[in-house]
Amino acid sequence: MSAATDPVKLMKQEVGKAAAALVKSGSIVGLGTGSTTAYAIQFIGERLQSGELQDIVGVPTSFQAEVLAKQYGIPLTTLDAIDHIDIAIDGADEVDPHKNLIKGGGAAHTREKVVDYLANQFVVVVDGGKLVDRLGSVFPVPVEVIPMAVTPVMQAIEKLGGKPELRMGVKKAGPVITDQGNMVIDVKFETIADPENLEKTLNNIPGVLENGIFVNCADVVLIGEVKDNQPVVRKI
């Protein structure tokens, strides 16, 4: 099957296109990280180049987003130079029925959280496989930790009932290093009954920079699915 007819790829493109269509001229746009968000960045760039959109600037959440924005001709700015973000588009690793999220599969959750929470509208783009009844059902909670604190943080997480594991690189010897120069501990919990409190508890452990639980921040979730071999997008 060619990439052009791959229904999963087409579905991700359609979700990205639906998110990009929500961006209005004159907007400051938070540019998220991940495969589906990459298509949103592409389509924002195409709308900008065609003249359909004008006066757009982006705030990238990762080096990946920055590179893609430059590739597709989206001017960039920084949080130092702006006083608001109109809309942020980002992916997620899990979405529960209350639109709470686990993010951080790409190890960019700290910068994503800063940008996504600042946005007046936060749009999440996912495929249907990311929907769960309860957070933590499938994906562990990523916790970004300064390198000197990895061992005590893992010990503190174990006391909370979590099973921590240092994230190791793929095709790279050693641990994953974030854009901030830190490490990521992936934590599996038997159950996450109260995501809001767990988010705060994890962030209160000395040495933790941020974790991947996002609560009370998503405004719109665009879900891509493949039905009868055709891509469809629905919204919650």
Side-chain angles (χ1 to χ4, degrees):
M1 181 179 292
S2 71
T5 57
D6 180 355
V8 174
K9 181 177 179 180
L10 289 173
M11 173 266 290
K12 290 189 174 189
Q13 289 176 335
E14 288 302 310
V15 178
K17 190 175 291 185
L22 298 174
V23 176
K24 300 176 181 177
S25 292
S27 296
I28 301 171
V29 186
L31 303 173
T33 305
S35 59
T36 306
T37 313
Y39 287 119
I41 294 173
Q42 174 187 339
F43 290 121
I44 291 169
E46 290 178 1
R47 291 185 67 202
L48 195 58
Q49 298 310 310
S50 71
E52 183 184 339
L53 273 181
Q54 297 178 343
D55 192 26
I56 294 292
V57 291
V59 180
T61 60
S62 65
F63 185 63
Q64 181 213 32
E66 182 178 340
V67 169
L68 286 171
K70 290 176 179 176
Q71 179 181 340
Y72 293 113
I74 302 172
L76 296 176
T77 188
T78 66
L79 295 177
D80 293 330
I82 59 175
D83 61 1
H84 73 286
I85 295 173
D86 295 293
I87 182 172
I89 299 170
D90 212 342
D93 298 296
E94 284 190 350
V95 182
D96 78 5
H98 305 289
K99 294 191 283 193
N100 296 319
L101 318 172
I102 288 181
K103 292 174 51 55
H109 52 284
T110 296
R111 287 174 63 177
E112 289 172 339
K113 190 171 280 192
V114 172
V115 170
D116 296 345
Y117 273 79
L118 280 173
N120 295 334
Q121 183 183 32
F122 175 30
V123 179
V124 180
V125 290
V126 293
D127 61 74
K130 304 298 176 62
L131 302 181
V132 295
D133 292 329
R134 179 174 287 191
L135 286 190
S137 302
V138 178
F139 206 83
V141 178
V143 180
E144 182 165 350
V145 182
I146 63 173
M148 68 167 285
V150 166
T151 298
V153 167
M154 291 179 79
Q155 291 169 345
I157 286 170
E158 287 175 343
K159 290 178 181 176
L160 293 175
K163 296 179 180 178
E165 185 174 320
L166 185 64
R167 187 182 300 182
M168 304 304 287
V170 177
K171 297 185 179 180
K172 169 195 174 297
V176 168
I177 303 299
T178 70
D179 288 358
Q180 289 73 242
N182 298 312
M183 298 181 183
V184 175
I185 297 170
D186 290 315
V187 186
K188 188 66 180 172
F189 290 95
E190 285 298 322
T191 182
I192 300 177
D194 189 342
E196 187 170 0
N197 271 334
L198 182 59
E199 179 191 21
K200 294 174 183 176
T201 300
L202 289 170
N203 280 355
N204 278 335
I205 299 172
V208 171
L209 182 60
E210 189 54 83
N211 70 82
I213 299 175
F214 286 52
V215 295
N216 303 322
C217 64
D219 297 298
V220 176
V221 180
L222 298 175
I223 304 155
E225 295 170 320
V226 177
K227 293 186 177 179
D228 298 325
N229 219 35
Q230 295 297 316
V232 294
V233 180
R234 62 185 176 94
K235 180 173 74 171
I236 59 171

